[in-house]
Amino acid sequence: MPADPAHLPPANWAGNLRYSAARFHRPTSVEELSALVRSAARVRAVGSRHSFNALADTTGDLVSTAGLPRVLRIAPDRRSVRVSGGLRYAEIAEELEASGLALANLASLPHISVAGAVATGTHGSGDRNQGLASAVLALELVDADGKLRALDREADPDLFPAAVVALGALGIVTELTLAVEPSFQVAQTVHLDLALDRLAADFDEVFAAAYSVSAFTDWAGGRAAVWTKHRTDAAEPPGSPAGAVAAGTPQHPIPGVPAVNCTAQLGQPGPWHDRLPHFRAAFTPSSGDELQSEYLLPRGLAAEGIARLTALGPQLAPALHISEIRTVAADELWLSPAFRRDSVAFHFTWVADQSRVAPLIIAVEEALLPLGARPHWGKLFSCTPSQLAEAVPRLADFATLARGLDPDGKFRNELLDDWLSGTGG
Ligand SMILES: Cc1cc2nc3c(=O)[nH]c(=O)nc-3n(C[C@H](O)[C@H](O)[C@H](O)COP(=O)(O)OP(=O)(O)OC[C@H]3O[C@@H](n4cnc5c(N)ncnc54)[C@H](O)[C@@H]3O)c2cc1C
């Protein structure tokens, strides 16, 4: 198949990375994709380009699966949906909702591709909500030999937990089966002006206030805004964090930015897919002019994490649009940042100035890595390979597995080589 320079995406969504691929491809059949992978020396998949680092990059062939035949098939028992990996959550959500079905959770934006989000361990918030990859029941990928390989949670209990959050290192995912449930309604309310001290002291209570809870702060003003997303079918009524005041007008996570691109608030119920993300599908999410970093820590260390970041507040705030605190339930996926531990996630939406942000990322890591922080794979971090090997318990096993399945390193790139080098992989 000829490479398609016309479709070469020059840069990622944030514009901080120019892809260095020699060729770009958008195959229209799995056979075409298989042939491409078979003949390639270096090949990587790219999704919707929302990652902030060079994980999706390659010097060889960059492949989008968005041109493969569209699959969106609800199982007869209505407990799962089979989707193409290149579809975006927004597209799937609309069709699921029309069929009376829902995904358990979504990230802050529905614009991202399913395969790309799953590959990096993308998550939303909620004490009982795992990352989005935990919804994956089965997947199909083109492996290093160009063969289509099916993996199933039940049938492949050893390989499957390694192959879902896989950083694109095991192959190019063509289709995934996701768990679904009956559709539900969510009412979103923003509560302003909660003292950070109080948030730390009442952490469990604040985050138990609704199905999905996020807190936004700049770490310097000593206050937080708490966004609660309450399932209207919940047995409990929605909680309201003591000491905060319900906002009377719609809010954007970044103070002062108009809320027009945000999902409806003020407690107005609406379908899950139009409330769980902070940002509406039809609009640019977040600020658009930004960089991002995120770290997941053991949930029990939330108050200590808040104290350490508050101490850094005067340094961080001038380079921050906003910071977000979320909770993520433990899962069993090897490279998931919430692997085997309920987690608190500290996210940073930085200004789009890499030279200003780089030393602040180091400062944040000096504060959080000793608490067991694990970085988000799709965002910016500067952990050394040995720090990564220490933070991610199954990284060495993953490196061994990847070497076995892809002995020529077809799916590797410079960044992956670096990340895995601390494991000897
Ligand atoms: C505004 C904004 C908000 C965000 N909010 C959140 C959030 O709420 N929670 C969160 O956790 N993250 C969030 N992120 C990060 C984002 O979810 C991740 O970066 C995610 O990986 C993006 O998916 P993508 O399709 O754009 O992946 P890309 O950036 O295109 O690729 C990421 C990785 O996935 C791999 N990949 C892509 N497609 C395939 C495939 N078919 N087969 C195998 N591997 C593949 C690539 O090789 C690469 O390694 C946000 C990002 C932005 C820009």
Side-chain angles (χ1 to χ4, degrees), residues 238-385:
S240 178
V245 188
T249 55
Q251 305 290 309
H252 190 284
I254 305 171
V257 174
V260 60
N261 63 357
C262 295
T263 49
Q265 302 163 18
L266 308 177
Q268 185 192 331
W272 58 282
H273 67 95
D274 202 22
R275 295 293 183 279
L276 292 174
H278 306 322
F279 303 109
R280 290 162 69 189
F283 289 80
T284 299
S286 199
S287 109
D289 196 15
E290 67 193 59
L291 299 171
Q292 295 187 7
S293 307
E294 189 168 32
Y295 301 89
L296 277 75
L297 276 63
R299 187 198 159 104
L301 296 177
E304 180 61 24
I306 291 171
R308 290 187 182 205
L309 292 170
T310 303
L312 288 175
Q315 236 178 303
L316 304 181
L320 268 182
H321 285 301
I322 199 67
S323 193
E324 181 177 8
I325 308 170
R326 291 180 275 191
T327 56
V328 188
D331 63 40
E332 286 296 317
L333 303 173
W334 287 14
L335 297 193
S336 164
F339 176 68
R340 292 201 175 157
R341 68 184 197 198
D342 288 335
S343 300
V344 54
F346 291 109
H347 160 89
F348 304 82
T349 303
W350 307 104
V351 297
D353 180 344
Q354 207 128 359
S355 60
R356 252 176 100 193
V357 167
L360 299 177
I361 289 178
I362 292 172
V364 167
E365 290 180 3
E366 280 171 2
L368 299 186
L369 287 181
L371 301 183
R374 297 175 186 156
H376 187 306
W377 297 112
K379 302 185 182 180
L380 297 177
F381 58 91
S382 69
C383 309
T384 62

Side-chain angles (χ1 to χ4, degrees), residues 12-14 19 44-53 55-57 63 65 85-86 106-109 111-124 167-169 171-174 278-279 285-288 290 292 294 324 326 347 376-379 413:
N12 63 344
W13 174 85
Y19 294 108
R44 295 283 293 165
V46 67
S48 52
R49 300 181 289 116
H50 283 84
S51 293
F52 290 84
N53 57 34
L55 184 58
D57 203 11
V63 183
T65 60
L106 289 167
S108 70
L109 77 174
H111 308 62
I112 47 179
S113 84
V114 178
V118 162
T120 60
T122 290
H123 61 89
L167 314 178
I172 299 189
V173 174
T174 53
H278 306 322
F279 303 109
S286 199
S287 109
E290 67 193 59
Q292 295 187 7
E294 189 168 32
E324 181 177 8
R326 291 180 275 191
H347 160 89
H376 187 306
W377 297 112
K379 302 185 182 180
N413 64 13

